[in-house]
């Protein structure tokens, strides 16, 4: 029961299994409105990813594949298979790994603000990366403080290395291997995973569908009634 001992877990309701996977540095509580609604007809399972929320810290930097392997092990410990899934952002990265695997534990998946598509990088970004690498060679501590987002700079060292592994992995080669129904739900004003990412995901995932909702990267929190209605019909 190693995985169970290291996570903050919530299970609620009765019926067919429904799993929630939250976004990066978020927690299971981000799905409050969905858990309250869907636990009336499903056996809901939601947990905090390792290194996030109230779960245990990472023992070493993890990749998306590491998170997927530990998630699968946790679901096996809980006896969960052929579950429905709702995942957000980073949770979508983990979901794509699992959905494309031979051991896929999900029968269908709703992925909102799903990450995993490489962002478009312009000349300004490439110049910033070059500057960072040049400064890092002579003043690594200054480079660490000066460059990168505030979110990245706030992370402990293990999580920083894990973050780099996560964001630098292109998951689009996995999409053609997915063989269960997938619904992508994106906010029309999402600037974190913008429209071109949603369009590529649905184009390369066999049989997938795409629904646009009002709101940003957190449209499921901002417009829970609309999101839940779409999710209920799909699930």
């Amino acid at each position: 029961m190693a995985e169970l001992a290291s996570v903050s877990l919530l299970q609620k309701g009765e019926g067919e299994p429904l799993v929630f996977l939250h976004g990066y540095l978020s927690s299971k509580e981000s799905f409050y409105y969905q858990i309250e609604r869907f636990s009336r007809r499903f056996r809901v399972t939601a947990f905090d990813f390792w290194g996030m929320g109230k779960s245990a810290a990472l023992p070493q930097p993890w990749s998306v594949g590491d998170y997927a392997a530990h998630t699968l092990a946790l679901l096996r410990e809980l006896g969960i298979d052929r579950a429905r899934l709702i995942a957000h952002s980073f949770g979508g990265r983990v979901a794509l790994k699992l959905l494309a695997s031979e051991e896929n534990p999900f029968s269908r998946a709703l992925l909102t603000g799903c990450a995993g598509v490489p962002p478009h990088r312009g000349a300004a970004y490439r110049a910033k990366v070059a500057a960072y690498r040049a400064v890092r060679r002579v003043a690594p501590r200054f480079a660490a403080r000066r460059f990168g987002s505030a979110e990245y700079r706030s992370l402990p060292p293990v999580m920083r290395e894990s973050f780099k592994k996560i964001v630098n992995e292109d998951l689009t080669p996995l999409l053609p291997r997915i063989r269960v129904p997938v619904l992508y739900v994106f906010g029309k004003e999402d600037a974190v995973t913008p429209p071109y990412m949603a369009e590529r995901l649905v184009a390369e995932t066999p049989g997938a569908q795409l629904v646009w909702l009002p709101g940003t990267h957190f449209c499921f929190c901002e417009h829970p009634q609309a999101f839940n209605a779409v999710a209920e019909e799909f699930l």
Side-chain angles (χ1 to χ4, degrees):
M1 307 295 281
E3 304 300 341
L4 273 173
S6 61
V7 299
S8 177
L9 178 73
L10 178 154
Q11 290 190 295
K12 185 175 181 179
E14 299 295 335
E16 294 297 313
L18 171 60
V19 174
F20 288 89
L21 301 178
H22 66 76
Y24 198 73
L25 298 185
S26 186
S27 69
K28 58 188 178 298
E29 284 77 20
S30 64
F31 290 114
Y32 171 81
Y33 296 109
Q34 287 70 46
I35 291 171
E36 287 300 302
R37 176 159 178 172
F38 291 109
S39 61
R40 300 170 192 169
R41 57 177 297 189
F42 293 101
R43 175 61 168 169
V44 165
T45 296
F47 66 94
D48 293 342
F49 278 120
W50 297 264
M52 307 178 208
K54 298 177 182 177
S55 288
L58 292 186
Q60 59 195 32
W62 282 9
S63 65
V64 179
D66 294 323
Y67 273 102
H70 283 268
T71 297
L72 181 62
L74 174 63
L75 297 180
R76 294 288 186 256
E77 285 188 30
L78 294 168
I80 295 174
D81 194 26
R82 303 299 297 167
R84 293 165 177 84
L85 170 69
I86 296 178
H88 173 234
S89 195
F90 166 73
R93 290 183 188 267
V94 176
L96 293 178
K97 282 279 188 180
L98 292 171
L99 290 167
S101 72
E102 293 183 359
E103 297 180 289
N104 170 35
F106 303 116
S107 61
R108 57 178 48 222
L110 187 160
L111 309 181
T112 181
C114 183
V117 175
H120 294 164
R121 301 297 197 189
Y125 174 82
R126 292 192 293 272
K128 185 174 181 179
V129 170
Y132 165 72
R133 289 173 176 169
V135 173
R136 185 179 62 180
R137 285 195 291 269
V138 296
R141 292 183 182 178
F142 175 78
R145 293 194 304 270
R146 175 65 178 81
F147 293 88
S149 67
E151 178 184 66
Y152 175 78
R153 293 195 299 270
S154 71
L155 295 174
V158 170
M159 290 293 285
R160 285 188 187 183
E161 293 305 308
S162 179
F163 181 81
K164 287 190 286 187
K165 288 185 176 186
I166 290 165
V167 300
N168 288 328
E169 184 173 2
D170 176 6
L171 298 179
T172 56
L174 299 177
L175 300 177
R177 292 159 46 186
I178 297 174
R179 292 292 181 266
V180 299
V182 174
L183 176 65
Y184 293 105
V185 178
F186 276 70
K188 294 178 181 179
E189 291 81 43
D190 190 340
V192 178
T193 49
Y196 71 85
M197 293 187 178
E199 290 162 0
R200 185 168 179 190
L201 286 167
V202 72
E204 298 185 24
T205 305
Q209 295 180 312
L210 173 62
V211 171
W212 296 102
L213 290 180
T216 69
H217 193 54
F218 292 88
C219 64
F220 65 102
C221 297
E222 297 161 338
H223 302 278
Q225 290 185 335
F227 180 90
N228 290 351
V230 170
E232 187 164 32
E233 182 174 344
F234 175 72
L235 297 174

